[in-house]
Amino acid sequence: MALAQHAKRVAAEFDYGKEDLQRGVAEFIREMDAGLKTEVATLSQIPTYVTAVPNGTEKGLYMAVDLGGTNFRVCSIQLHGDTTFSLTQSKVAIPKELMAAKTSKELFSFLAKQIEIFLQAHHEEHYASHVERKRKGNEVAEEEIFNLGFTFSFPVKQIGINKGLLMRWTKGFDIKETVGQDVCALLQEEIDLLHLPVRVAALVNDTVGTLMARSYTSPGKTGTLLGAIFGTGTNGAYVEKLDKVTKLTEDKNAGSYDKSTGEMIVNTEWGSFDNGLKVLPNTPYDIALDEATPNPGIQMFEKRISGMFLGELLRLALVGLYKDAAVPLFKDENSSQNDISSVTHVDGNGPLFKPWGIDTSLLSICAGDQSQGLRVIRQTLEREYGVSAVSAEDAEAVREIAAAIGRRAARLAAVAIAAIVLETGRLEKSTGVVEEDVIDVGVDGSLVEFYPNFEEFMREALRGVEGIGEAGEKRIRIGIAKDGSGVFEILWKWEGIKNMGAIRYELGDGRKGVSGGGAYYIGWGMGSVGSGHVTASGN
Ligand code: BGC
């Protein structure tokens, strides 16, 4: 059999057809409803208490940190008291050994240390005078303390605005001791040991941040329905009717929350949709991948969709083909068209043979390679993956399988979006005015940002879902909720800012603008934006 046929056969294993979609959406809706009623459902459906408001004033220094997966980010916001404020940030990669440390302390003391380094670098005066006062045993005035917003992108049972118990780790983190602990308290403890003038004041999931940021900046009057992350991990938070969240409304021990809007933002934690594999596709590669993770049987939806896993699925599929003597992948007989050397060489100790050795960016490279003879793919395989002088046929086989994995991920992502659109009944309401009938969805993460056509694949799937169809799909507006375009990742709100008007922003790369009115959320620009300066004007 020619290599192309083998590649097609493997690619077909990743097909996720119309009927699968339908079954997926039905099961997703069932699990959503179950999660709103009980604590013991696969879809956690966590009420976020997002309306709680920490105390604060318009003056002072505020901080935010973000632990999401690969990096830890720290930022500070200085409120000048004249309705303006400035913003500074830094980012550091989390050392791999800390992700699977023995104790919570190892990770959280590292995080606190980064906050200390940040304070020393950017707020030396404030930091030094605080430490000096502490040293002399003097009291620290309330206004000297930074209120810190903690974006913690793992499943947490939130029991208050700054209190949440870790339910489980995801995305390769595995510190057993932390499960069941209050992550705000763990961070606070380490901050206190360093005598830092910082109080953990609010806890949010990244999806909630994405939803709020998008809702705040999206065009038109319509509020955003859903904030979704398709990055290292995947998850979504959406606006639910409060009276449907019965596990909260009927819980006498629930913390207090604002009932006036009749709505509550719910963090679905959809990464764990269908852990029982009733409807999710399950190829031999999915099975092998799951077994190699620290949390087998958990986050099964995430393991088929998000950036942390797609590269590994591709690697497993390629290694399977390579090891089959009957398949001419990366073997000499297909190297007739090599432009680098005539003999393909595969480094037996290279990334191709190391678990997690292939990065999901290779899928994006494959999807974007328009060059003749797929030169970019061939060069990437040589430069980064230890497979040199591959033929155009080899590259085509890699491209075909990578495309199938990416397309399946996007179609699965559509299952979640479709289910939320249908379950919330948004399509049933129509004013007849196109702009008002928009169903707004905010997205963020490396896959939506960098994988070519991820959105188009999602849309294609949405059109195929019963109850959505072409007309429904047209009403769904998907927008990147990226801070770089003047969108701020939302961290917390407080009364002082609540009454301000438009937010004027000026980011590190020189971009400026004004975002909406009635702003009372603050966050930061990340990634390419670097540190920036933000001002809020009162009205
Ligand atoms: C976590 C979520 C998070 C998502 C995206 C998942 O692994 O469970 O809490 O929102 O990743 O970062």
Side-chain angles (χ1 to χ4, degrees), residues 35-46:
L36 292 174
K37 295 192 180 98
T38 140
E39 298 288 349
V40 287
T42 357
L43 224 56
S44 300
Q45 298 279 69
I46 306 166

Side-chain angles (χ1 to χ4, degrees), residues 68 152-155 168 170-171 205-207 229 232-236 267 269 299 302:
F152 183 77
S153 304
F154 299 92
R168 59 182 176 276
T170 60
K171 298 177 278 199
N205 187 267
D206 53 353
T207 54
I229 303 277
T232 309
T234 184
N235 186 19
N267 169 11
E269 284 298 336
Q299 299 289 104
E302 178 163 87

Side-chain angles (χ1 to χ4, degrees), residues 99 101-105 107-108 152 164-169 174-183 186:
M99 295 181 178
K102 287 236 153 35
T103 61
S104 309
K105 189 174 179 61
L107 175 66
F108 284 85
F152 183 77
L165 312 179
L166 178 67
M167 298 162 74
R168 59 182 176 276
W169 285 110
D174 185 25
I175 310 169
K176 303 222 165 28
E177 193 192 75
T178 323
V179 176
Q181 303 284 311
D182 175 7
V183 292
L186 289 174

Side-chain angles (χ1 to χ4, degrees), residues 13-16 281-283 286 303-305 310 313 403-413:
E13 293 183 64
F14 290 98
D15 279 350
Y16 188 69
N282 202 23
T283 67
D286 294 305
K303 285 172 183 167
R304 285 151 179 77
I305 295 182
L310 300 187
L313 285 176
I405 294 170
R407 184 160 182 265
R408 188 186 73 165
R411 292 177 68 80
L412 284 167

Side-chain angles (χ1 to χ4, degrees), residues 60-65 72-80 86-92 113-129 146 196-198 524-525 530-533:
L61 274 166
Y62 295 81
M63 288 193 75
V65 292
F72 181 61
R73 296 183 294 155
V74 187
C75 93
S76 68
I77 302 153
Q78 169 106 51
L79 290 182
H80 300 305
S86 322
L87 184 142
T88 316
Q89 72 154 329
S90 75
K91 184 164 101 173
V92 55
K113 189 76 199 159
Q114 302 315 308
I115 298 174
E116 181 178 51
I117 293 170
F118 179 87
L119 286 177
Q120 283 168 338
H122 301 289
H123 300 283
E124 171 59 22
E125 217 170 275
H126 188 86
Y127 170 78
S129 69
F146 285 90
L196 305 180
V198 174
W524 74 84
S531 61
H533 177 79

